[in-house]
Amino acid sequence: VCLCVCLHFICSPYELHMMHQFLHSQVYHADGSVMQTIVKSLEHGLVQSSAEVSRFALVTLQALAVQHHKELKRNTQVDAITPIARTFMEHIFRWFVLQPFDMDLLESASCALYSLVCCDQAYFREMASRLLAAQENQEQQQRLLNALNSLTQNNGITFTCERKDRRHFNENFSEFLVNVRGFLLFK
């Protein structure tokens, strides 16, 4: 993450894009100890008070999730990555749904979350079910269910890591937050 922040200030957008493409493919296939260091760096980057560092962690996480999705489509052995992706999916979802956050990070978080959901839709449904079950008020539970359905179904979204679907998910996620954060944050 620190490397990404430094590179951001000295590289053109095109150079940065090319390095991201190369690095994420290489990082994704790193051995266990290197991957653990990367995961720790991303975790640290997500909880930083600096929006810029958090944004780069989210962008990096999105790129790694897209690479994970590609590997899943190729039926590559990815057992070591799936629990990591699930952890980050849950972290981002809880962060933006249940905690205060910097609005400047919403688009980056939405893109990262969309890419992670593409990798494991069943786990996202499981997370959503747990959140629904935690609602004691029937009216709020129904409202949350409607908002979750809109999040994943409005605008004809398919979870294939396509740009147009990512944009639609971003719109849906913003609407989802408007509809549910008020009662989820202030129980």
Side-chain angles (χ1 to χ4, degrees):
V1 173
C2 293
L3 174 63
C4 289
V5 172
C6 293
L7 290 173
H8 171 71
F9 292 111
I10 61 174
C11 295
S12 73
Y14 176 75
E15 292 170 323
L16 205 60
H17 173 73
M18 295 309 291
M19 284 195 301
H20 270 273
Q21 295 302 319
F22 172 75
L23 287 175
H24 294 129
S25 177
Q26 297 304 310
V27 165
Y28 183 84
H29 295 288
D31 68 29
S33 63
V34 173
M35 182 57 78
Q36 287 304 329
T37 301
I38 292 164
V39 167
K40 293 290 182 201
S41 295
L42 288 171
E43 288 171 345
H44 182 71
L46 290 177
V47 298
Q48 285 301 301
S49 59
S50 164
E52 193 69 16
V53 173
S54 294
R55 183 178 355 277
F56 279 110
L58 288 163
V59 168
T60 301
L61 191 53
Q62 176 197 350
L64 290 171
V66 168
Q67 184 66 37
H68 184 55
H69 185 261
K70 288 176 185 176
E71 297 296 329
L72 287 168
K73 284 174 51 176
R74 289 185 200 127
N75 292 320
T76 307
Q77 186 69 17
V78 292
D79 294 340
I81 304 298
T82 298
I84 296 168
R86 287 178 172 183
T87 299
F88 281 116
M89 182 191 314
E90 190 148 359
H91 177 80
I92 293 170
F93 187 73
R94 289 193 168 284
W95 179 17
F96 281 81
V97 174
L98 301 173
Q99 300 171 13
F101 66 90
D102 184 339
M103 281 297 292
D104 292 337
L105 296 174
L106 182 58
E107 184 176 349
S108 299
S110 175
C111 290
L113 182 61
Y114 169 76
S115 299
L116 289 163
V117 172
C118 288
C119 296
D120 198 342
Q121 294 174 52
Y123 189 72
F124 183 76
R125 283 190 296 276
E126 182 182 314
M127 282 180 6
S129 293
R130 286 194 311 260
L131 185 60
L132 280 166
Q135 304 309 305
E136 296 172 7
N137 180 311
Q138 190 74 3
E139 181 182 324
Q140 290 177 346
Q141 190 177 46
Q142 186 60 47
R143 193 169 155 195
L144 179 58
L145 177 62
N146 293 341
L148 284 163
N149 286 335
S150 293
L151 172 64
T152 57
Q153 296 170 7
N154 278 6
N155 298 315
I157 289 180
T158 58
F159 289 93
T160 57
C161 274
E162 298 295 325
R163 180 179 296 203
K164 70 175 179 61
D165 290 320
R166 188 171 54 240
R167 275 195 325 268
H168 290 308
F169 184 85
N170 190 359
E171 295 167 11
N172 293 356
F173 191 59
S174 294
E175 184 178 320
F176 171 81
L177 293 176
V178 167
N179 290 331
V180 300
R181 273 181 58 83
F183 70 83
L184 289 176
L185 278 175
F186 303 108
K187 284 192 197 183

